[in-house]
Amino acid sequence: MTAPGAESPVLIIGTERSGSNLLRLILESHSRITVPHPPHFMRYLAPLAGSYGDLARAHNRARAVGDALGLLRRHIHPWPHPVRADRIVAEPAGPGLFGIVAAIYEQHRAATGKARWGCKSTFMVAHVADVLEVFPDARFVWLVRDPCDVASSAKHAVFGPSHPYRMAQLWRAQQETARAALDAHGPGVVHLLRYEDLVSRPQEEIGRLCDFLGEKPEPDMLRHHTSAAARQTAALADAWRRAGQPVTTDRIGAGRRGLSTRERLWVDKVTGPVKQSLGYPVDARAAAVPDPGRPELALRSAWLRAGIEYRSMREDDNHRARLRRDAYVRWLRVRARMRGGLRAPVRRTAPAARGEPL
């Protein structure tokens, strides 16, 4: 395999609560790769892209850059280096909205002195084509985890749908999108990595990952939890506490402990064939379990979210920052609607719950 150029970015795709913070910190510990915590630029700004007009024009680009840097200033996990708006407006990294996003990441990369940047926003699974238009040699790491374990984690996290049924719907849709990217571009562009394999055989899987990226494995990648980046992440939110711990297998099978039998069957019913295709067993009883009713789904989701928000208010240092970020995203949508060109809402497989990424 021909190694990618030094400028080729590394993007983690898939579904949140799959170990992406662990993988980010492992990659960040490499001497040539920097992966800052993502403000989810494309997740929030792509639906607004039409309201900016032709981004080949500097004044339209300046508006999009201003909104992107507004997100960065309100990010729940602050970046360590300032970003200059004038340089991005004058010289984006490529066409379209992702060209602006890439220029922001490039400034961060230059400030760190490393050779390559990475992006941990798993929502980029929906923007593989946008990335490849700017960076044809980009590399994507498709990180996947047992959906029951993902759903169990999501029941207690401020990010993602809190109800297991809704989380399962989102997981299935995002894995199908990632599978389509792998089928379209091949294993030289998209590398499938199972969370369970990563934590069970870290040295082996990190070696395979580095081979895919055209990099040499480094010992610090196995000591990611001792880094300043890991300590910062672990201190900000309860959902990220494990960032400061070494690789462990104790979260494999979390769904057996964190979900009821009915919840596990719901997850298996929703994800069935996709889950099996990725090497995870599906309970044969799942097909017969009734789906939750809409009132039940709404009430249980609201109850779980209320508990999550209460715990976050008490325990997370970045709780207020997250609320400010969410308010800012809503304001961006209002302004985009006033300008016109706001993309019609896409019907989501799993509706957003209050407090998750908007």
Side-chain angles (χ1 to χ4, degrees):
M1 182 183 75
T2 302
E7 74 283 356
S8 60
V10 182
L11 296 101
I12 301 169
I13 59 174
T15 300
E16 289 193 307
R17 313 312 303 165
S18 297
S20 56
N21 255 324
L22 169 64
L23 183 55
R24 176 183 82 85
L25 292 167
I26 288 173
L27 290 170
E28 171 72 21
S29 297
H30 195 284
S31 63
R32 285 174 39 83
I33 305 172
T34 180
V35 190
H37 195 278
H40 301 301
F41 293 115
M42 294 296 287
R43 173 76 177 104
Y44 296 130
L45 298 181
L48 316 183
S51 72
Y52 298 124
D54 183 2
L55 291 177
R57 298 183 177 182
H59 68 280
N60 291 335
R61 205 157 55 242
R63 184 182 298 154
V65 170
D67 287 354
L69 294 187
L71 272 176
L72 185 58
R73 286 191 298 272
R74 294 165 178 83
H75 186 28
I76 59 178
H77 193 303
W79 283 19
H81 307 291
V83 175
R84 286 183 52 182
D86 59 335
R87 288 175 52 189
I88 302 170
V89 174
E91 198 172 349
L97 187 60
F98 184 71
I100 290 170
V101 172
I104 296 173
Y105 273 89
E106 174 58 23
Q107 282 198 36
H108 170 81
R109 183 209 63 78
T112 66
K114 292 191 176 184
R116 303 170 75 171
W117 59 263
C119 174
K120 187 203 83 84
S121 181
T122 55
F123 297 108
M124 293 302 295
V125 69
H127 300 286
V128 171
D130 296 310
V131 176
L132 291 174
E133 183 180 6
V134 178
F135 292 102
D137 55 356
R139 296 293 182 265
F140 300 86
V141 184
W142 173 15
L143 181 63
V144 64
R145 184 184 182 191
D146 186 318
C148 283
D149 294 354
V150 171
S152 176
S153 178
K155 281 180 71 175
H156 307 282
V158 295
F159 308 111
S162 52
H163 196 289
Y165 188 86
R166 288 180 169 174
M167 192 70 224
Q169 291 177 313
L170 180 61
W171 186 93
R172 181 187 64 194
Q174 291 180 323
Q175 307 322 306
E176 288 174 343
T177 302
R179 172 67 72 183
L182 175 58
D183 291 344
H185 304 292
V189 174
V190 180
H191 175 69
L192 174 58
L193 173 60
R194 296 197 338 158
Y195 167 82
E196 294 80 6
D197 297 335
L198 176 61
V199 298
S200 299
R201 304 185 299 273
Q203 187 166 359
E204 178 184 340
E205 292 301 326
I206 289 172
R208 292 180 64 241
L209 175 61
C210 286
D211 183 62
F212 165 73
L213 297 175
E215 301 286 356
K216 293 182 179 180
E218 295 180 352
D220 280 351
M221 300 176 81
L222 291 168
R223 298 192 293 263
H224 70 281
H225 59 287
T226 65
S227 67
R231 290 194 298 272
Q232 179 192 23
T233 299
L236 284 172
D238 184 65
W240 299 336
R241 296 281 185 250
R242 301 177 66 83
Q245 301 175 13
V247 174
T248 176
T249 59
D250 67 0
R251 295 302 296 167
I252 295 178
R256 293 192 297 270
R257 302 182 294 273
L259 299 181
S260 68
T261 299
R262 186 169 67 152
E263 288 172 335
R264 290 196 301 273
L265 292 176
W266 278 337
V267 172
D268 278 8
K269 181 176 184 179
V270 170
T271 64
V274 179
K275 183 179 178 181
Q276 282 186 316
S277 74
L278 292 167
Y280 300 107
V282 172
D283 194 312
R285 300 171 294 171
V289 67
D291 294 329
R294 296 182 72 175
E296 176 189 0
L297 190 58
L299 287 173
R300 179 60 174 162
S301 295
W303 176 256
L304 287 169
R305 180 55 52 183
I308 288 168
E309 290 295 339
Y310 177 72
R311 287 191 301 271
S312 178
M313 181 177 64
R314 290 173 57 89
E315 300 172 4
D316 294 347
D317 288 347
N318 60 2
H319 173 73
R320 291 183 180 179
R322 179 169 56 85
L323 296 181
R324 286 195 298 270
R325 189 276 313 274
D326 290 352
Y328 179 69
V329 170
R330 291 186 177 93
W331 169 237
L332 291 181
R333 289 176 176 172
V334 169
R335 288 197 314 179
R337 192 171 290 110
M338 292 170 62
R339 290 196 300 262
L342 182 64
R343 183 188 301 173
V346 177
R347 186 169 181 238
R348 291 174 53 122
T349 305
R354 192 172 71 85
E356 71 176 281
L358 300 173

